[in-house]
Amino acid sequence: MEKPLTSWGRYPVVECNQESFVFTEQLEKLADRSEDFIPRGNGRSYGDSALGKRALTTLKFDKILSFDTAKGVFECQPGITLSDVLQVIVPQGWFLRVTPGTKLITVGGAVGSNVHGKNHRTEGSFSRHIIDMDVRLASNEEITCSPTQNTDLFEATCGGMGLTGMVTRVKFRLKKIETSYIRQKQIKAQNLDELLSLFDKYQHYSYTVAWIDCLTKGKNSGRGILTVGEHAAFSELIEEQKKEPLKLPSNKKLNFPFTLPAWVLNTFTVKAFNFLYYLKNYKKEMDSVVLYDPVFYTLDAINNWNRMYGKAGFVQYQFVMPLESRQGLVEILNRIGEKGMGSFLTVLKVLGKQESMISFCREGYTLALDFPLRKGVLEFLDELDEIVLKYGGRIYITKDARMKPDMLKNYPELDKFKDIVKKYNPDGKIRSAQSDRLLLTEPK
Amino acid sequence: METVLVLGATSDIGIAIARKFAAAGYNIQLAARKPEQLDAVKSDIEIRSGVSCSTHAFDAVKYDSHAAFFNGIKPDITIAVFGTMYEEEDAFNDWSLAETMINTNYTGAVSILNIAARHYTTQQRGTIIGISSVAGDRGRASKLVYGSSKAAFSAYLAGLRNKCFKDNVHVMTVKPGFVYTRMTENLKLPAPLTSTPDEVATIVYNGFKAGKNTIYVKWFWRYIMLIIKNIPEFQFKKMKL
C-alpha cells in the first residue's frame, strides 16, 4: 500500500509502497514482482535517493554472518546499522575504518552512497575496505563482486545509489583500536584563511573536520573551529578511563519532541547559535580524551533532530571544490553570508583523491550546509550550483533532493557508470525518484 | 545459563524475542518449519550476544513429531510465538484456510505445550510463555476464525497456569495489539496503538522477569479490551469492528 514517505530531510514527500523481508526467499518473491523498486535502508539519505513507487527496505535483513575477531573482518546483511556494528566490534577492540557523521545508516546504505568520513585523505571511502559483496540484480540473480571479481559491478555499486541491484551481503575490514576513546584537539580560527592553513598544519592527524560559521561577514568570514583526532592509546587514558578502555558510549538519547515552527530558525537565532558555539571554546586550543560518540556522531545524540527545520523539511547542500578552487569556496560563503541563509553546524572537510567510479569524493574541500525549505531556497541553491560547476566541483548525490541532471557533468566517469547500470538493470526496474530526476535511469 | 526455546522463530516477533533473551545471556534454541532459513539468525545471535544458539525443525501441525522434538532438546523456558493469519473473508469461504489457522494457533499449541508442561511439572521447574492476541478477547467479524483460535489459546494458557502453579511452573500469556510486522505492513495501523517487534520482545522479557500472568502489549490494550468486552452483545452485534 502506498503511503507518504520521506527520507531524512523530510523533503520531498513521495507516495511509496514500502516492503520488507527477513529471508532471502522473501526478497526473491518481492523482487520477482513486475513493479519497479529501489533498495532502501534506514532512510538517512537526505533527499529522494531511496524514494520511489516501491521501496524494498533492508531493515529486517540485518543479520551478522561472521566476525573474525583475530583478523578484524566483518560480514553481514545490508540492513544492519553502523550503530549495531559498533556495539559488537568495539568491545572486541575494532572500529569502522570509515564512518560518516551518523551511525544510524545501514551497511547497505554505506555501500550505496560509498560514504566517507573525517579521515578520507588517509582511509578513502567505505568501498576501499570491502573484501567482497553479493548483489541481487534486476534479473533477480545474485552475484558476488569484489575489486577483483565482476569489477564493473563492484565499482558501479559502490556509490551507485542502489541502481545496480540490492546489496545482500557485505564483507569488510575493520580497524584495530586499543581503546574506544579519541584524543582530540580543537583549534579556533578567526577566518577561512586561517582555518584552511590549520587543515594543512594538522594534516598528519587521522581525523580532521571543521565547524564553520557561515553567517559572519567581512574579515571574520569563515571563522570556525577545527577538530583533529586520533584513536587514543591505552597509555593516553586517565585512570578512570583505564578501568574500561573499550567502553561503549551510552545509548541514552535526547529526543526532539515536536516539529519546530519554521519561523524559529531565522538569521538571528542561527547567528546567535553560531556565536555561542564559537565562544564555547574559550581558549585558542583545547585538548581532551573523549569517547568516540561525540567526536563522530554529534547529532545522533538527539533523536529526530530533523524536526528542528520545521514541517516543510530541509535540504542539505554538500559540495566538493578542487583544492585549487579555494576561490569557489569563498564565493559560496560570501553568497550565503549576503543572503543570510546559513545553517547551524556547517561542516568543512578536506578530501583525498577520488578512487571509485561514481564517488562524490575527489581531492578538495567539501562543505555541507543545511537549508530549511522556504521561499527562494531552491532558486538560491540553483545559483550556488552554477558556482560549484564553474569551479569544477560536485554535489553529493546522497544529500541531493533538487539538482538538475546537468550537475552530474563533473563526475568524470558518469557515462561509464550509466552503461554499467544499464547492463545490470537493463529495463530500469530498479529506480528511484532521484534516478529519474537525474536521468540515471531512463524515465518511463 | 538457562536455555530458551522459541517456537516460530522465523516470525518478526520470534526473532526479536530470541535476540532479547540472548542479549540477557540465555542460550537460544530456534525452531521453525524451515530451520535452514535460520542460519543467519543463529550466527547473528551468537556473534551479538556470545551465547550458543541452535536451529531445529518444528511443524506445529505435525502433532506426532512434537514429543520427540521436545524431548530431544528440553529447554528451560518454552515460548510459543508461532501462528497463522489469513484474510478472514478467504478463511470464511475456504475451510482449508480456517482449519490451518485453528490447527496451528490452537491445536498445535496445545499439543506442544502439553508436552512441555508435563516435563516441567515433573521436574518442578520451568516456564511457558504463549503469544496470544487481543483478538482473542472478544469474537468479532473482522477476526472471525483467527480471533476464535486465539481465544481458545488464551483460555488454554489460563487453564495451564492454574494446573501447573502447584508444581512451580509459571505460565505467562502475552496479548499484543497491533504490531508492525511483515504480516501487517500493508495495513494502516494507528501509530500510538502499535508496537514494534522489539518493543514486544522487551515487554515479554520484563514480564517474564517480573513473573507476570497476563500482559498486554502495549499496556493500555488491557483497558481498550476491557471496554470492548463490556459492550452489551445486543449493541456489539450491530457494530463494525
Side-chain angles (χ1 to χ4, degrees):
Chain A
M1 191 175 59
E2 287 180 7
K3 296 177 198 170
L5 186 68
T6 71
S7 287
W8 191 241
R10 305 173 88 197
Y11 170 86
V13 184
V14 171
E15 287 290 322
C16 179
N17 177 15
Q18 246 197 116
E19 295 176 315
S20 66
F21 52 97
V22 180
F23 302 109
T24 305
E25 295 81 344
Q26 295 165 344
L27 168 61
E28 218 159 33
K29 267 192 201 147
L30 291 174
D32 235 8
R33 293 222 315 265
S34 60
E35 302 107 298
D36 302 337
F37 70 87
I38 185 73
R40 179 178 168 94
N42 203 21
R44 286 285 172 142
S45 60
Y46 284 70
D48 48 1
S49 313
L51 299 175
K53 281 220 170 62
R54 186 161 73 121
L56 299 188
T57 166
T58 59
L59 284 181
K60 291 183 178 178
F61 200 66
D62 65 343
K63 309 301 175 299
I64 303 172
L65 303 174
S66 71
F67 175 24
D68 184 333
T69 52
K71 292 194 183 123
V73 173
F74 196 85
E75 186 183 19
C76 60
Q77 294 175 342
I80 187 171
T81 59
L82 298 186
S83 170
D84 275 16
V85 174
L86 289 165
Q87 205 75 17
V88 172
I89 64 174
V90 168
Q92 304 282 344
W94 296 97
F95 203 74
L96 296 163
R97 292 213 181 183
V98 168
T99 174
T102 171
K103 57 179 175 177
L104 300 174
I105 65 159
T106 62
V107 167
V111 175
S113 291
N114 201 8
V115 296
H116 62 275
K118 301 169 182 27
N119 56 353
H120 186 263
R121 279 178 315 171
T122 52
E123 294 279 13
S125 301
F126 194 82
S127 63
R128 192 193 283 184
H129 311 290
I130 297 176
I131 297 167
D132 58 29
M133 61 185 175
D134 294 340
V135 181
R136 184 169 289 265
L137 310 174
S139 61
N140 217 349
E141 177 196 2
E142 203 165 283
I143 66 176
T144 302
C145 63
S146 76
T148 54
Q149 184 186 2
N150 295 313
T151 50
D152 62 342
L153 179 64
F154 182 81
E155 282 187 56
T157 301
C158 297
M161 309 313 286
L163 297 174
T164 52
M166 169 77 84
V167 172
T168 53
R169 181 191 61 86
V170 190
K171 192 179 198 176
F172 56 98
R173 280 182 218 93
L174 304 170
K175 182 188 190 76
K176 185 94 197 125
I177 49 169
E178 247 178 73
T179 78
S180 57
Y181 289 85
I182 302 292
R183 172 167 55 81
Q184 70 165 4
K185 182 189 281 297
Q186 294 187 310
I187 313 106
K188 270 184 6 174
Q190 281 178 344
N191 53 46
L192 188 66
D193 277 342
E194 190 185 350
L195 193 59
L196 295 183
S197 63
L198 285 176
F199 265 107
D200 289 341
K201 184 174 166 196
Y202 289 97
Q203 59 173 315
H204 54 284
Y205 273 84
S206 301
Y207 301 105
T208 52
V209 62
W211 165 81
I212 170 168
D213 177 355
C214 56
L215 285 181
T216 321
K217 285 182 250 179
K219 67 176 187 350
N220 285 335
S221 170
R223 71 174 177 184
I225 300 170
L226 177 74
T227 302
V228 298
E230 292 291 347
H231 289 281
F234 183 75
S235 60
E236 290 164 337
L237 302 187
I238 59 168
E239 288 313 307
E240 189 59 31
Q241 295 168 336
K242 279 182 179 165
K243 284 183 198 154
E244 204 187 337
L246 290 168
K247 185 179 166 169
L248 283 169
S250 134
N251 276 328
K252 287 217 173 69
K253 287 179 171 189
L254 300 170
N255 185 26
F256 210 93
F258 54 87
T259 303
L260 212 60
W263 56 265
V264 177
L265 284 186
N266 54 40
T267 311
F268 175 75
T269 50
V270 175
K271 264 189 179 161
F273 172 88
N274 283 354
F275 178 73
L276 291 171
Y277 197 89
Y278 186 73
L279 221 65
K280 86 177 165 47
N281 281 33
Y282 51 90
K283 284 191 292 193
K284 176 87 183 164
E285 250 188 67
M286 290 167 85
D287 293 289
S288 52
V289 176
V290 294
L291 276 174
Y292 64 82
D293 248 23
V295 182
F296 291 116
Y297 310 117
T298 321
L299 280 174
D300 286 347
I302 308 164
N303 271 332
N304 302 311
W305 64 260
N306 53 351
R307 289 177 177 172
M308 153 172 94
Y309 289 114
K311 257 201 183 124
F314 70 104
V315 174
Q316 186 166 86
Y317 192 76
Q318 182 170 0
F319 64 89
V320 57
M321 283 287 184
L323 286 178
E324 63 277 11
S325 303
R326 189 187 269 218
Q327 183 52 31
L329 202 59
V330 175
E331 248 177 69
I332 287 192
L333 282 172
N334 287 345
R335 287 291 263 283
I336 291 165
E338 280 162 27
K339 275 267 177 183
M341 272 194 174
S343 61
F344 306 112
L345 299 171
T346 300
V347 170
L348 176 68
K349 293 189 296 257
V350 177
L351 300 180
K353 291 204 165 36
Q354 154 139 17
E355 49 187 7
S356 67
M357 180 185 297
I358 192 70
S359 131
F360 159 71
C361 294
R362 55 151 296 150
E363 196 164 35
Y365 301 107
T366 177
L367 196 63
L369 315 111
D370 295 341
F371 292 96
L373 249 283
R374 55 179 71 146
K375 225 176 136 214
V377 162
L378 293 176
E379 293 77 1
F380 179 60
L381 295 179
D382 286 341
E383 289 170 30
L384 296 188
D385 281 355
E386 281 170 32
I387 305 176
V388 171
L389 266 192
K390 186 171 85 186
Y391 286 96
R394 295 176 196 162
I395 305 269
Y396 195 0
I397 302 176
T398 300
K399 311 282 177 87
D400 163 59
R402 33 64 52 192
M403 70 180 169
K404 301 193 171 64
D406 244 17
M407 283 306 291
L408 293 177
K409 68 181 180 208
N410 284 346
Y411 280 84
E413 297 195 84
L414 181 66
D415 289 336
K416 198 168 152 200
F417 170 69
K418 282 187 182 172
D419 287 345
I420 299 172
V421 169
K422 236 192 192 140
K423 174 176 167 192
Y424 291 106
N425 178 18
D427 306 317
K429 179 173 178 174
I430 305 173
R431 60 172 61 231
S432 62
Q434 183 181 52
S435 74
D436 286 349
R437 175 168 54 78
L438 294 178
L439 306 177
L440 294 170
T441 45
E442 282 165 18
K444 282 190 175 169
Chain B
M1 196 61 182
E2 292 187 306
T3 300
V4 174
L5 165 64
V6 179
L7 298 163
T10 50
S11 69
D12 289 9
I13 295 178
I15 292 171
I17 287 178
R19 277 180 165 172
K20 182 72 195 176
F21 278 80
Y26 291 86
N27 293 319
I28 304 293
Q29 295 164 337
L30 303 169
R33 235 173 343 149
K34 297 185 197 158
E36 65 281 2
Q37 283 190 325
L38 289 167
D39 290 347
V41 182
K42 170 185 149 72
S43 67
D44 184 77
I45 283 177
E46 288 183 334
I47 295 166
R48 281 185 199 239
S49 303
V51 299
S52 71
C53 180
S54 52
T55 61
H56 307 271
F58 167 75
D59 190 332
V61 296
K62 289 196 177 137
Y63 317 125
D64 292 344
S65 66
H66 289 180
F69 159 77
F70 188 87
N71 292 320
I73 55 175
K74 289 188 176 158
D76 301 291
I77 297 151
T78 298
I79 308 181
V81 186
F82 61 86
T84 304
M85 182 163 76
Y86 294 115
E87 287 291 332
E88 286 295 344
E89 213 38 49
D90 298 343
F92 186 63
N93 292 309
D94 180 348
W95 166 242
S96 70
L97 297 181
E99 190 183 23
T100 304
M101 269 202 276
I102 295 164
N103 286 345
T104 309
N105 301 354
Y106 177 59
T107 319
V110 173
S111 164
I112 184 67
L113 295 184
N114 271 351
I115 293 163
R118 284 205 298 272
H119 171 66
Y120 292 150
T121 49
T122 310
Q123 63 168 23
Q124 297 279 302
R125 202 173 64 87
T127 302
I128 290 171
I129 300 172
I131 311 296
S132 188
S133 168
V134 296
D137 278 12
R138 187 167 190 175
R140 57 202 162 91
S142 66
K143 286 280 171 281
L144 180 60
V145 179
Y146 179 80
S148 61
S149 71
K150 287 296 191 182
F153 185 40
S154 294
Y156 167 77
L157 289 169
L160 195 65
R161 178 159 45 245
N162 185 214
K163 181 177 172 61
C164 297
F165 174 73
K166 64 176 190 322
D167 292 313
N168 191 36
V169 174
H170 185 57
V171 177
M172 180 167 87
T173 311
V174 182
K175 296 181 179 176
F178 300 133
V179 184
Y180 292 116
T181 63
R182 288 195 79 240
M183 214 156 69
T184 60
E185 72 190 356
N186 279 317
L187 307 175
K188 237 185 193 141
L189 299 175
L193 299 182
T194 310
S195 26
T196 63
D198 286 342
E199 284 170 337
V200 177
T202 301
I203 293 168
V204 167
Y205 179 75
N206 293 342
F208 159 73
K209 278 290 172 193
K212 291 277 169 63
N213 296 315
T214 300
I215 53 174
Y216 284 79
V217 186
K218 302 171 174 182
W219 61 270
F220 44 71
W221 275 99
R222 182 184 296 271
Y223 302 97
I224 296 173
M225 294 319 292
L226 191 68
I227 293 165
I228 290 178
K229 281 190 283 190
N230 280 294
I231 300 171
E233 190 64 23
F234 70 87
Q235 196 66 44
F236 193 78
K237 70 178 180 188
K238 298 177 203 156
M239 295 166 74
K240 271 191 102 173
L241 280 165

